[in-house]
Coordinates of all heavy atoms in Angstrom, one line a residue:
N731 N 1.2 5.3 16.7 CA 1.9 4.5 15.7 C 2.4 3.2 16.3 O 2.3 2.2 15.6 CB 2.9 5.4 15.0 CG 2.3 6.4 14.2 OD1 1.2 6.4 13.6 ND2 3.1 7.7 14.2
N751 N -4.8 -20.5 23.0 CA -4.7 -19.9 24.4 C -3.2 -19.6 24.5 O -2.3 -20.3 24.1 CB -5.2 -20.9 25.4 CG -5.1 -20.3 26.8 OD1 -4.1 -20.2 27.3 ND2 -6.3 -20.0 27.2
N759 N 6.1 -23.3 18.1 CA 5.1 -22.5 17.4 C 5.8 -21.2 16.9 O 5.5 -20.9 15.7 CB 4.0 -22.1 18.3 CG 3.2 -23.3 18.7 OD1 2.6 -23.4 19.8 ND2 3.0 -24.3 17.9
K780 N 9.0 -7.5 14.5 CA 7.9 -8.3 15.0 C 8.3 -9.0 16.3 O 7.4 -9.3 17.1 CB 7.5 -9.2 13.8 CG 6.8 -8.6 12.7 CD 6.4 -9.5 11.4 CE 5.8 -8.8 10.3 NZ 4.6 -8.2 10.5
S819 N 23.5 15.8 1.4 CA 24.6 16.8 1.6 C 24.1 18.1 2.0 O 22.9 18.5 1.7 CB 25.4 16.7 0.4 OG 24.7 17.5 -0.7
N865 N 8.2 28.5 20.3 CA 8.6 29.8 20.9 C 9.4 30.7 19.9 O 10.5 30.4 19.7 CB 9.3 29.6 22.2 CG 9.3 31.0 23.0 OD1 9.6 32.0 22.4 ND2 9.1 31.0 24.3
Y870 N 13.0 28.5 20.1 CA 13.1 27.0 20.5 C 11.7 26.4 20.2 O 10.8 27.0 20.1 CB 13.5 26.8 21.9 CG 12.7 27.1 23.0 CD1 11.5 26.4 23.3 CD2 12.8 28.4 23.7 CE1 10.7 26.6 24.3 CE2 11.8 28.7 24.8 CZ 10.8 27.9 24.9 OH 9.9 28.2 25.9
I915 N -1.1 22.4 8.6 CA -2.4 22.1 8.2 C -2.4 21.6 6.8 O -1.7 22.0 5.9 CB -3.3 23.4 8.3 CG1 -3.1 24.1 9.7 CG2 -4.7 23.0 8.0 CD1 -3.6 23.3 10.8
K929 N 4.6 12.8 0.9 CA 4.2 13.1 -0.4 C 4.8 14.5 -0.7 O 5.4 14.8 -1.9 CB 2.8 13.1 -0.6 CG 2.2 11.7 -0.7 CD 0.7 11.8 -0.9 CE 0.1 10.3 -0.9 NZ -1.5 10.4 -1.0
L931 N 7.4 15.9 0.6 CA 8.9 15.9 0.6 C 9.4 15.3 -0.7 O 10.2 15.9 -1.3 CB 9.4 15.0 1.7 CG 10.9 14.7 1.8 CD1 11.6 16.0 1.9 CD2 11.2 13.8 2.9
H951 N 18.6 12.4 10.0 CA 20.0 12.0 10.0 C 20.9 13.1 9.4 O 22.0 13.3 9.9 CB 20.0 10.8 8.9 CG 19.3 9.6 9.5 ND1 19.3 9.1 10.7 CD2 18.6 8.7 8.9 CE1 18.8 8.0 10.9 NE2 18.2 7.7 9.7
L957 N 25.7 18.6 12.0 CA 26.0 19.1 13.3 C 27.4 18.5 13.7 O 28.4 19.3 14.1 CB 25.1 19.0 14.4 CG 23.9 19.8 14.5 CD1 23.0 19.3 15.6 CD2 24.3 21.2 14.9

Side-chain angles (χ1 to χ4, degrees):
N731 293 324
N751 182 284
N759 294 146
K780 290 178 185 289
S819 68
N865 189 315
Y870 68 80
I915 309 302
K929 288 179 182 177
L931 176 60
H951 293 319
L957 274 177

